[in-house]
């Protein structure tokens, strides 16, 4: 096993995503770490033992990654003065360089003719080369300095170019790369550890780091070949490819990092077991789309409409036949009994100023989803985005008279808190609904009739919620509190939602009863968690909250936990 730990000394990681100049990179990519090690090795004189260690490292399978959640800094444009303003014009330099090349050729020819002896003629050519290299007369002699070039040296005259410096602030300022199957010898480990001790930055020059080999790595947070995020890794021949690229750009011209693209996915938090939180079968990867600022006008009670519009958009670009894990239906049209792709609009809830608006939407890919269905989702998204690039448009969801929503797929750290998957995965024993649960069975009248009949109806509703928990692989909650009103700030009362109808087994449509719920479990549960008959269309979306005492009222859960 080999594990490399990178500590970010300033608490921030400053690096630009390779495919988006305005987006920060997170997690740090193995290919970037390897390039930093190669640069450090080359600057120190290219030690042969370290080269062998690097060539051994580059050929390893993609590593496991361990990183915490990270908050991106808002990207703004900076106009930075260029580093090489010239007081001598470019055409003057070019003429001088051409003459210097000619004198150099003549100097070398003379040395060959004289058998290496520095003759008077050769000395004359060398003097002429020195004179061509000396441009001081262009600066000190009045009238020879180009005025425009001289003004560029002054603070107000220097040419400035637009730059962005995306960065993230991780909760834990470190990243660990672990190769569990690597059989590193003591010599290789020592060479890599010595090389890592000299690496001072990763990414931008302000992203200072301290690196080392560690014996006991932490549990991984990201696993290769198990998700939807593309991360740059290395392959055999990476060092030589970097050397060849350097010979071309010489650290002056634009350059591109060679890499092997690997799909990564986040590791479920501990799994169902005594050492980790419980997981439902709705847990898995999220592909997040953010609505443009102008499109953040849909209230939470339109959640099913938005989810159906997103589903239709993905289905439009999916290849036939559409896999069961994406469509949610068997070939005969019957609903699939297995977990499948869910379309989950994300409302702004749980904070002081939350108003329930939909900020974006996530495609939820459960862990048990087949490779065929997962590939179908990714291909449909890719075809949709490629079409938009070719037509110079943005992806949109169209609602007829209600207008349209513009959206952008988010990759890496996400600025809008509501759209961060970690917010919806946070383990807790206490969960409340951000959108109401569609009960799988109708409990009867909840607000009409005798006190006894209403009590029986509410008891049936509680039992339906318990069954909904069991249906997604969770144990029975120890406490269930139901309400027609929300338990968290920003969530909307059930009365604001339109009827939610589903086709029953007999082919007829059934109106599902909507209720908000607050659930308490004996052991911590990790999300994402969706419950009930509408969980694949955004209903029953749960948000974890800090555990509450049994005597606390539901109103205590409305305070939120911070401002977005």
């Amino acid at each position: 096993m080999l594990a490399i730990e990178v500590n970010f000394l300033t608490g921030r990681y400053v690096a630009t995503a390779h495919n988006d100049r305005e987006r920060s990179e997170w997690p740090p990519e193995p290919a970037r770490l390897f390039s930093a090690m190669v640069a450090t090795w080359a600057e120190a004189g290219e030690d042969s033992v370290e080269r062998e260690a690097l060539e051994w490292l580059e050929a390893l399978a993609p590593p496991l990654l361990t990183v915490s959640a990270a908050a991106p800094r808002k990207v703004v444009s900076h106009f930075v003065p260029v580093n090489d303003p010239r007081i001598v014009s470019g055409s003057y330099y070019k003429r001088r360089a051409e003459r210097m090349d000619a004198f150099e050729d003549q100097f070398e020819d003379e040395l060959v003719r004289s058998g290496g002896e520095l003759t008077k003629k050769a000395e004359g050519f060398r003097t002429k080369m020195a004179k061509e290299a000396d441009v001081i007369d262009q600066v000190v002699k009045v009238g020879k300095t180009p005025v425009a070039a001289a003004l560029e040296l002054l603070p107000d005259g220097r040419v400035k170019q637009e730059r962005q410096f995306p960065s993230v602030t991780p909760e834990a300022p470190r990243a660990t790369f672990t190769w569990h199957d690597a059989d590193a010898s003591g010599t290789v480990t020592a060479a890599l550890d010595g090389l890592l001790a000299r690496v001072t930055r990763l990414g931008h020059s302000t992203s200072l780091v301290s690196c080392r080999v560690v014996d006991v790595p932490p549990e991984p947070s990201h696993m290769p070949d198990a998700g939807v995020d593309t991360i740059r890794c290395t392959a055999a021949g990476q060092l030589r490819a970097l050397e060849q690229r350097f010979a071309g750009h010489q650290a002056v011209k634009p350059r591109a990092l060679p890499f092997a693209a690997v799909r990564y996915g986040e590791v479920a938090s501990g799994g169902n077991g005594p050492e980790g939180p419980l997981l439902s079968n709705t847990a898995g990867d999220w592909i997040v789309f953010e609505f443009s600022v102008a499109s953040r006008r849909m209230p939470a009670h339109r959640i099913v409409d938005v989810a159906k519009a997103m589903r239709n958009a993905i289905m439009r670009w999916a290849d036939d036949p559409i896999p069961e894990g994406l469509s949610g239906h068997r070939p005969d049209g019957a609903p699939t009994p297995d977990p499948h792709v869910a379309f989950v609009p994300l409302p702004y809830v749980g904070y002081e100023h939350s108003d329930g608006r939909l900020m974006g939407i996530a495609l939820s890919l459960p862990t048990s989803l087949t490779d065929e269905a997962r590939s179908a989702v990714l291909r449909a998204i890719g075809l949709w985005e490629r079409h938009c690039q070719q037509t110079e448009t943005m992806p949109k969801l169209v609602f007829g008279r209600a207008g349209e929503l513009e959206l952008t797929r988010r990759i890496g750290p996400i600025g809008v808190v509501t759209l961060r998957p970690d917010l919806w995965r946070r383990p807790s024993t206490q969960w409340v609904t951000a959108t109401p649960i569609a009960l799988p069975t109708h409990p009867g009248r909840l607000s009409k009739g005798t006190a006894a009949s209403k009590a029986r109806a509410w008891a049936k509703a509680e039992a339906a919620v318990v069954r909904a928990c069991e249906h997604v692989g969770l144990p029975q909650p120890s406490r269930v509190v139901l309400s027609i009103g929300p338990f968290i700030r920003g969530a909307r009362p059930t009365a604001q939602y339109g009827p939610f109808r589903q086709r029953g087994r007999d082919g007829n449509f059934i109106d599902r009863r909507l209720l908000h719920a607050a659930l308490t479990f004996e052991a911590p549960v990790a999300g994402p968690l969706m419950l009930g008959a509408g969980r694949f269309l955004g209903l029953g979306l749960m948000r974890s909250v800090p555990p509450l005492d049994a005597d606390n009222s539901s109103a205590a859960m409305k305070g939120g936990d911070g401002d977005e």
Side-chain angles (χ1 to χ4, degrees), residues 244-262:
Q244 293 172 349
R245 297 285 180 93
F246 181 81
H249 62 68
Q250 290 295 310
V252 176
K253 299 178 182 179
R255 70 213 72 167
L257 175 67
F259 66 92
V262 178

Side-chain angles (χ1 to χ4, degrees), residues 76 199 201 298 512:
V76 297
V199 175
R201 70 181 179 94
M298 282 287 190
R512 301 295 188 187

